[in-house]
Amino acid sequence: MSSTTPFIDSVSGELDGTQILSEAIPLGKLIGLFVTLSLVPFGLVFLALGSSPIGEVLVILGQFILSVGTGIVLMYVVARGTQLSGE
């Protein structure tokens, strides 16, 4: 196991803002991807289809996209945390 702690500057003992930002940007992009993908069916329902049967299917599709995205983001966070703890 490594003696250095992730996100802590080994010299000063304070939080390492550069490393935090370098880890937060890809995570934010991944979250933004799934939010953007889910906005397509939700936007269609809101703007045009309303409470039609097709609209209900699109709402379910949007919720499914968000659910799958949540799982993928959580897997990314766990995998990246495991990588950082091994460095």
Side-chain angles (χ1 to χ4, degrees), residues 3-76:
S3 61
T4 61
T5 307
F7 307 112
I8 303 293
D9 188 14
S10 60
V11 177
S12 66
E14 296 178 359
L15 289 174
D16 186 6
T18 306
Q19 186 181 12
I20 293 172
L21 192 60
S22 69
E23 295 295 331
I25 289 174
L27 185 60
K29 287 181 180 179
L30 187 60
I31 293 169
L33 170 70
F34 287 106
V35 169
T36 304
L37 287 175
S38 71
L39 282 177
V40 173
F42 286 139
L44 286 173
V45 170
F46 181 73
L47 295 175
L49 299 171
S51 60
S52 68
I54 295 174
E56 292 176 8
V57 171
L58 287 175
V59 166
I60 292 171
L61 177 65
Q63 291 175 350
F64 180 75
I65 291 170
L66 288 176
S67 299
V68 170
T70 301
I72 291 173
V73 167
L74 287 174
M75 286 190 294
Y76 173 81

